[in-house]
Structure formats: structure tokens, C-alpha cells
Amino acid sequence: MPDTRPLDYSADWDNYAITWRARHPDLAHLGDEWIGRAAGAATHLEAYVALIERHFIAPYVRPSHTVLEIGVGGGKTAALLLRHARHLIAADASQAMLDATSSRLGHERVTYTKLDGLTLDAIPPASADLCFCYDTLVHVDPPDIFNYLTRLPRLLKGDRLCILHHTNVCSELGWRKFLSDWPHKLNGHRSATSFSIMTPEIMERFLRHLGYEIIACDTDTIPRDCVWICRAPAVPSP
């Protein structure tokens, strides 16, 4: 029978973080192993970091913004966000990932928030101007992405901008990734670190159904994936 137990995002990513140093003894920070090569975006870390900042951070994050980053990992994009924002809410389901980011960034202008992998209830309402979620939704299945989208609006205020990055199985590189992964995911077998099956068409349906204003859909900068710039619907004051 299929394994119907829920994914344990916290345990799977804690394990990834705890065992990371043994796999990458030559790297400075957790997350430096993700350089964008498999996604067709870059061939080395410096180029990938510069690309993310140039295309998805600098045009949207303002000095007055409090930014909520969902899935901070080892703090690679969090470090970029802090160059532009007033304050960062670093949120992750993995305490080990939060610890890695804290060791990298410290606590000045950063608040660390442990998530439960299902809700965003640990984040205060109307606490951020912008939500940044990069290299996180690529591991989250469509129903869970939809679930997060239903919960985001109450957390945002002001500009209510969202930068959301997910897989695109219909791209050439996305299809190759699917073909390499599918034998290992039969009968429901997958971990929280696996890549999800997602497309821009599904995400657009989610966003429009929930009342998000779509500003841009970028399938070129990260050729394997898709990045959305959108505005969450306003939530009426109680």
C-alpha cells in the first residue's frame, strides 16, 4: 500500500543540515552547494548569488521593508535581503536551518521564527511588507503551496509583494529532472527534500483563484523553474 504518512519537513531538513558538513567540508556556508547549475541559471556560486539579487531582490525590496523569508535554509538569500531591507523575518520549518542562518547573520535586524511545516501561525499578522520564498517551494507539493498562499495575505501589509519560486516540470530542464526522479517516487515514496511537480499554469490558477495580482511571471532567468512577482490581496482590518 502507498505510504500515506505526512511529510516531516522539520525532520528531513534538520537531517540535511546536520549531515551537511560531512558532505561539503570545503564550503563556507550551508546552501553554497546550490549554485544554479542544475537549474540552468549559473555555473558558480558568485554568479548565481548576483543573479538572484539583480533580478529578484534589488528591483523589489526597499530600505523601509520588513521582509518575510519562508525557508531561509542556510541564509544565502537572507544575506542578500539584508543588504536591501530594514528587517528580516527568517522563517523555516527546520530548527537546524535557522541555527545555521543565525550563525551566519547574527541577530541584528533579524527575527528567527520556527514554522510547523503546515501553517504560518507563528508569524504575527501584518508583520511584513514583502514575502520572499526562493529555493523552497521547489520542494513543496502543489496542495501545500496552495495552503501557504491562503495564509500569506494576513501576514502582509503595505506593498504586500510576493516573490515566489517553484519548479516547472514543463520546461526542458524540469522535464529532465522529473524523468531522473520518478523511479524513486513510486507508491508515494518521497522526502521533504525531493523536488515537487509544479507548473506555471497550476500556479497561475492558484494565484488568480485566491485574488493575487500578478505582476510578472519569469520562466527565463531560472530556465528549469518559474519565479512569480505578485501582490497578495488585502485583508480587511478586524
Side-chain angles (χ1 to χ4, degrees):
M1 294 181 62
D3 186 349
T4 57
R5 291 173 297 178
L7 292 176
D8 192 335
Y9 288 101
S10 297
D12 286 355
W13 284 111
D14 277 347
N15 182 67
Y16 184 96
I18 291 165
T19 60
W20 174 82
R21 176 55 66 189
R23 299 192 306 277
H24 302 284
D26 55 326
L27 297 182
H29 300 291
L30 196 161
D32 285 355
E33 66 274 24
W34 300 316
I35 62 171
R37 180 182 291 120
T43 57
H44 58 277
L45 178 62
E46 292 77 12
Y48 192 41
V49 167
L51 177 149
I52 295 169
E53 184 172 23
R54 182 171 66 253
H55 287 274
F56 305 122
I57 293 178
Y60 305 105
V61 180
R62 301 208 303 262
S64 61
H65 279 166
T66 292
V67 175
L68 164 63
E69 182 174 12
I70 297 176
V72 293
K76 178 171 63 186
T77 50
L80 300 176
L81 291 165
L82 275 179
R83 294 179 184 177
H84 298 267
R86 180 182 65 85
H87 191 85
L88 175 69
I89 302 170
D92 205 292
S94 164
Q95 185 60 52
M97 289 291 191
L98 290 171
D99 292 343
T101 300
S102 176
S103 295
R104 179 173 185 171
L105 301 182
H107 289 266
E108 184 177 355
R109 299 191 293 121
V110 186
T111 300
Y112 296 94
T113 302
K114 173 71 167 63
L115 302 177
D116 60 16
L118 178 63
T119 74
L120 300 173
D121 292 349
I123 303 165
S127 57
D129 303 282
L130 183 148
C131 174
F132 187 85
C133 191
Y134 191 93
D135 269 346
T136 297
L137 298 181
V138 295
H139 302 291
V140 179
D141 283 337
D144 292 315
I145 292 176
F146 185 85
N147 172 58
Y148 280 130
L149 290 174
T150 67
R151 298 170 183 272
L152 266 180
R154 75 172 189 86
L155 307 180
L156 298 176
K157 59 182 176 61
D159 291 337
R160 307 191 313 281
L161 285 176
C162 302
I163 291 91
L164 308 171
H165 165 225
H166 63 80
T167 59
N168 178 10
V169 75
C170 291
S171 70
E172 183 59 35
L173 289 173
W175 183 243
R176 290 182 199 173
K177 178 64 176 171
F178 170 78
L179 291 178
S180 70
D181 285 356
W182 74 266
H184 311 291
K185 296 182 178 179
L186 300 178
N187 289 327
H189 291 287
R190 74 180 299 269
S191 75
T193 63
S194 300
F195 275 70
S196 65
I197 298 173
M198 191 66 177
T199 70
E201 291 78 10
I202 295 172
M203 189 63 158
E204 181 177 6
R205 187 63 178 262
F206 287 176
L207 293 171
R208 293 197 184 280
H209 177 83
L210 295 172
Y212 283 72
E213 174 192 348
I214 295 172
I215 297 170
C217 173
D218 185 340
T219 57
D220 297 322
T221 304
I222 315 295
R224 187 196 61 197
D225 302 332
C226 179
V227 181
W228 294 84
I229 313 300
C230 54
R231 180 170 284 107
V235 175
S237 299

